[in-house]
Each structure stands twice: as structure tokens, then as C-alpha cells.
């Protein structure tokens, strides 16, 4: 079988060197990669590097090898075009259909999925011109990965950093796997909660749970690859931020509730994959609770935490918002799941069986997705991202 053909567009940003790592991952995983840098990109990394690493010729202009009509053929033959880093300038050209070099011509002739990974200073990213260009590209079906927050060129920090090349590679892999299907969450805002809340007892101890956050992160990643703007509310996961996702870190159930309500205000869908503590200690000891010789410990009095899933299900922040809950059950899994779905009032409930060696922390999952309409969608044992894809399939169907 022919290798999938990937065009790696590289535009003139300081992060161009990171595209070498993306190129290596793409070639090593069996893709035929044609690098199309802009003339500015070659100020940062030379053509020899791109050519040697890809094993393919490299040019920036439409005037090389004209007999092969590269300004048309490269785009026509591609299975995926990824532009990383995408400068403000290249985003603007792509949004307006300019075609003054090989990369912009390729973007006009490609009929395959296109991924942009912008990288620039925060001011350039936040400028209304750039934001409108990004919105235009997303509306047309391109996947535009949100830049990461962190160190930028020079001493500056802020939003605009190119996400980790390994993360961009993951998005490309997912987009390629979905083929030419439209990114069906393009233009949508989705909120995902992940991890497990921790309810502090004293400065060193907390009541927590075993949730790793991996299922929530898989949901966030797959939604980004399907074109959504994603807000991930992460509780104590310790996992690296997924590319293209806005991450809000929280600790307790009360903080998670606040973050979810804020993000849900303009969300099309909210997926509550986090394990939220039902109870929290009534009192917080400012100093470490000491063990007292020959005395039994004081009992811990618990208070009920807010029921976030029931609250957002009952008071939808916007009409048609789809709310998805997760139920981790240890026994009588389906019956308990059905009862929980009715109690909470959400649209979908992902029910999985958990235990010490099941689900938590694992790379795999097995579940049944129950619908408020009575539907049951079993998802066989497999990677957490397969379950995530099924959840988004069911959500997009409900979004209409
Ligand atoms: C040192 C340096 C770093 C730059 N980094 C970026 C960047 O990260 N993002 C960006 O949008 N532009 C950046 N620019 C500006 C672009 O190179 C400039 O807008 C250029 O016209 C982009 O051309 P291209 O989009 O055809 O590659 C940088 C310029 C210099 C000199």
C-alpha cells in the first residue's frame, strides 16, 4: 500500500526548528512527507535539513520543476496538510486565498484535511485580524490547534507557543484516521472535565480518588482533532496539557464547579469525565492533624459537595446544550447507570465498571453509553480514545 502523503508546511516563525521533530515522527510512522517551507522559514531552518530529513525535494516557489506543475500537484495528491508553525502572515494568506508561494498554492489546491498549528507572540495571536482569520479557517473546516501558553521568543511568556510536536503529531494521526470527513465539531465549543478532585483535610492530607484523568484527556484530544474549541478542566492529573486545548487547573469539587459553570456558559457540549468527590471534610485544620498517644482519632465529619452534573443538566447554559456524565460503578453497573441517568437529567451517561485494576490509570476502557432517549451504545474493550470518539459521535448527532 502507498504511504499516506503528508505535506508539512513550515512558515517563518522561531518555532520552525520544532517542525523537524514533527517531520521525524511523521516519517518514522510511515508517512511520505513533502516539506513545503516559506521563504521566511528558510531563515530559521535551511532547505538541506528539510530535504535530508524528508527524503524529498524542497522548494518554496512555484517556479521550480515547473514541468511537474508542483503548485497544483502537491496539494492535489496530499492526504493531509499540516502547517506547523503557522505564522500570523500565513494564516492571513490562507484565510484570504492568497497564492504567492508554493505553500499557499498548495493550501488552495488541497482537498484533504488541513491542520494549522499557529505560533506567534501573544499580541499577534490576540489581534482581531488573526482571530478573524482563525475563525474563517475553522468555519471552512480546517483544524486550527490552539497555541500553548508558555515561554515565547526572548523574555516574553504568554499564549502563542507552538504545542509540543508529539501532541501535534497525535492530532495529525487522528485527523488522518478520520479521512476526508468534515471536522464535525468545527465551530463548536466543548467543555471536558478530567481527573479527580481532592478535598483537603489539613495542609498535607486530602480525601481523593483514583481517577487519572486519561479518559478526559482522550476526550479533549479527540474533540480538538474534530475541530472543536476545547476547554479542559483538569483536577489533579499531573498529565501534560494536550495540544490545542485550553486547560484550567482546579483542585477541589467547589473549584471544579466554578470552572465548569464559567466555561459552560457558551459551550455546545459539556462532558463531565472527572471523578468529583461527593463529600468534603466539614473542617479544614490549618496545621497538620497530629497523632495523639493513647487517644482514638477524631472522626471526620463530611459535608455534601454540590452535584455539578445535576445542576448543569437542570439549568442548561444555552438551548440545545448536550450534557454527558460518567458513572463509575463497581456492581449492578447498568441498573445503577440507568437510575443515575434519570436522577441527573443529562443526555448521555457513560457507564463503566471500575475497580482497583480496572479503568483507573489504564490506557484502555470498556463502557456502555446510555442515552436519555433509551438508547444503549456498547463500546468494546479498547483504547480510551475509541470510547472518546464514540462519545463525540453521539454528541454530534444530538447537536444536529
Ligand atoms: C526572529 C523572528 C521570529 C519570528 N517569529 C514569528 C512567529 O513566531 N510567528 C509569526 O507569526 N511571525 C514571526 N515572525 C515574523 C514572520 O517571519 C514574518 O511575518 C514573515 O513575513 C512570515 O512569512 P511567512 O508567513 O511567509 O513564513 C518572526 C520574525 C523574526 C525575524
Amino acid at each position: 500500500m502507498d504511504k499516506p502523503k503528508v505535506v508539512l508546511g513550515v512558515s517563518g516563525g522561531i518555532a520552525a526548528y520544532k517542525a523537524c521533530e514533527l517531520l521525524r515522527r511523521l516519517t518514522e510512522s510511515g508517512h511520505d512527507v513533502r516539506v513545503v517551507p516559506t521563504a521566511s522559514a528558510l531563515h530559521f531552518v535551511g532547505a538541506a535539513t528539510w530535504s535530508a530529513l524528508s527524503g524529498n525535494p524542497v522548494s518554496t516557489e512555484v517556479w521550480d520543476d515547473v514541468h511537474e506543475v508542483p503548485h497544483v500537484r502537491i496539494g492535489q495528491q496530499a492526504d493531509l496538510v499540516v502547517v506547523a508553525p503557522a505564522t500570523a502572515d500565513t494564516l492571513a494568506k490562507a484565510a484570504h486565498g492568497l497564492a504567492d508561494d508554493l505553500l499557499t498554492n498548495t493550501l488552495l489546491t488541497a482537498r484533504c484535511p488541513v491542520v494549522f498549528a499557529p505560533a506567534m507572540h501573544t499580541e499577534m495571536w490576540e489581534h482581531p485580524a488573526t482571530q478573524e482569520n482563525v475563525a474563517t479557517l475553522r468555519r471552512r473546516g480546517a483544524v486550527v490547534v490552539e497555541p500553548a501558553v508558555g515561554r515565547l521568543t526572548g523574555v516574553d511568556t504568554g499564549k502563542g507557543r507552538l504545542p509540543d510536536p508529539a501532541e501535534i503529531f497525535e492530532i495529525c494521526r487522528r485527523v488522518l484516521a478520520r479521512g476526508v470527513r468534515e471536522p464535525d465539531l468545527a465551530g463548536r465549543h466543548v467543555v471536558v472535565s478530567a481527573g479527580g478532585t481532592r478535598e483537603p483535610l489539613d495542609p498535607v492530607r486530602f480525601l481523593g480518588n483514583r481517577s487519572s484523568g486519561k479518559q478526559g484527556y482522550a476526550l479533549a484530544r479527540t474533540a480538538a482533532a474534530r475541530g472543536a474549541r476545547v476547554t479542559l478542566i483538569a483536577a489533579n492529573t499531573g498529565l501534560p496539557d494536550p495540544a490545542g486545548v485550553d486547560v484550567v487547573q482546579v483542585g477541589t469539587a467547589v473549584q471544579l464547579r466554578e470552572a465548569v459553570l464559567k466555561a459552560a456558559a457558551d459551550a455546545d457540549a459539556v462532558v463531565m469525565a472527572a471523578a468529583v468527590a461527593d463529600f468534603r471534610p466539614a473542617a479544614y485544620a490549618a496545621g497538620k492533624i497530629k497523632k495523639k498517644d493513647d487517644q482514638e482519632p477524631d472522626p471526620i465529619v463530611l459535608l455534601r459537595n454540590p452535584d455539578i452534573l445535576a445542576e448543569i443538566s437542570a439549568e442548561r447554559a444555552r438551548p440545545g446544550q448536550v450534557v454527558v456524565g460518567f458513572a463509575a460503578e463497581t456492581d449492578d453497573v447498568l441498573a445503577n447507570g440507568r437510575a443515575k441517568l434519570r436522577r441527573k437529567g443529562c443526555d448521555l451517561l457513560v457507564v463503566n465498571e471500575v475497580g482497583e485494576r480496572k479503568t483507573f490509570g489504564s490506557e484502555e476502557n470498556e463502557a456502555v453509553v446510555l442515552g436519555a432517549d433509551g438508547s444503549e451504545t456498547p463500546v468494546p474493550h479498547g483504547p480510551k480514545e475509541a470510547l472518546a470518539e464514540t462519545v463525540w459521535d453521539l454528541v454530534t448527532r444530538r447537536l444536529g
Side-chain angles (χ1 to χ4, degrees):
M1 252 176 57
D2 283 349
K3 291 177 173 181
K5 286 188 165 42
V6 176
V7 173
L8 172 58
V10 182
S11 52
I14 198 83
Y17 73 96
K18 294 188 187 168
C20 298
E21 163 77 5
L22 177 59
L23 171 57
R24 191 183 61 76
R25 284 181 184 265
L26 287 165
T27 51
E28 283 181 2
S29 55
H31 301 90
D32 177 12
V33 187
R34 173 84 192 232
V35 183
V36 183
T38 64
S40 299
L42 295 187
H43 286 288
F44 296 94
V45 180
T49 303
W50 301 121
S51 189
L53 288 179
S54 68
N56 276 318
V58 167
S59 47
T60 61
E61 306 304 327
V62 293
W63 307 112
D64 300 327
D65 302 314
V66 173
H67 63 287
E68 290 175 3
V69 209
H71 76 287
V72 177
R73 292 283 174 270
I74 295 174
Q76 280 177 337
Q77 291 170 355
D79 296 302
L80 173 78
V81 179
V82 49
V83 185
T87 57
D89 175 63
T90 292
L91 291 172
K93 285 181 179 168
H96 293 277
L98 300 190
D100 61 354
D101 64 5
L102 190 55
L103 177 56
T104 45
N105 275 271
T106 299
L107 286 166
L108 282 184
T109 51
R111 292 296 176 269
C112 58
V114 179
V115 175
F116 292 93
M120 63 199 71
H121 259 73
T122 312
E123 292 84 348
M124 293 176 93
W125 172 250
E126 287 178 347
H127 195 285
T130 305
Q131 287 301 307
E132 278 170 31
N133 292 331
V134 167
T136 301
L137 293 168
R138 282 185 172 146
R139 206 176 46 249
R140 287 196 203 126
V143 173
V144 184
V145 180
E146 282 295 298
V149 176
R151 183 82 190 264
L152 305 170
T153 320
V155 293
D156 298 342
T157 56
K159 187 161 182 173
R161 215 174 132 80
L162 187 76
D164 188 353
E167 288 284 342
I168 302 173
F169 169 71
E170 275 305 307
I171 290 182
C172 292
R173 205 174 57 73
R174 287 192 177 92
V175 171
L176 257 175
R178 287 183 59 75
V180 287
R181 279 185 289 167
E182 279 277 294
D184 51 6
L185 288 170
R188 303 287 190 179
H189 177 210
V190 303
V191 177
V192 177
S193 72
T197 59
R198 290 180 180 177
E199 310 299 323
L201 275 163
D202 70 15
V204 290
R205 303 184 182 94
F206 57 82
L207 298 182
N209 61 66
R210 292 176 189 274
S211 178
S212 65
K214 287 180 181 168
Q215 183 62 64
Y217 276 54
L219 281 155
R221 283 199 178 91
T222 45
R226 289 168 78 149
R229 176 162 75 83
V230 184
T231 306
L232 173 65
I233 320 274
N236 311 297
T237 62
L239 299 172
D241 291 353
V245 166
D246 282 324
V247 183
V248 182
Q249 301 284 352
V250 295
T252 65
V254 169
Q255 291 167 355
L256 190 127
R257 173 181 174 272
E258 257 172 49
V260 167
L261 291 187
K262 187 167 172 225
D266 71 344
D268 297 288
V270 184
V271 181
M272 292 288 293
V276 183
D278 291 328
F279 309 104
R280 66 179 180 278
Y284 172 75
K288 186 181 169 194
I289 301 167
K290 294 275 186 237
K291 182 167 62 182
K292 294 179 203 129
D293 288 342
D294 48 79
Q295 250 189 43
E296 287 305 310
D298 291 335
I300 298 170
V301 180
L302 297 175
L303 290 181
R304 200 179 265 278
N305 266 332
D307 187 334
I308 310 169
L309 182 57
E311 184 177 348
I312 58 170
S313 300
E315 294 162 34
R316 310 277 167 137
R318 58 192 287 188
Q321 185 178 67
V322 178
V323 178
V324 184
F326 269 69
E329 301 287 347
T330 50
D331 40 36
D332 233 348
V333 177
L334 278 185
N336 283 334
R338 272 268 160 236
K340 182 168 175 178
L341 177 66
R342 276 193 299 274
R343 233 176 24 249
K344 304 284 184 180
C346 50
D347 301 290
L348 295 164
L349 190 79
V350 183
V351 188
N352 51 14
E353 195 177 346
V354 292
E356 283 210 22
R357 275 176 296 281
K358 270 189 191 148
T359 303
F360 287 135
S362 138
E363 302 300 330
E364 303 192 322
N365 210 344
E366 179 181 347
V368 179
V369 188
L370 303 177
D373 55 2
S375 61
E376 276 186 21
T377 312
V379 183
H381 189 82
K384 287 186 168 170
E385 72 182 50
L387 174 56
E389 295 285 9
T390 303
V391 169
W392 294 125
D393 288 346
L394 295 168
V395 167
T396 47
R397 230 172 277 162
R398 278 157 182 78
L399 285 171

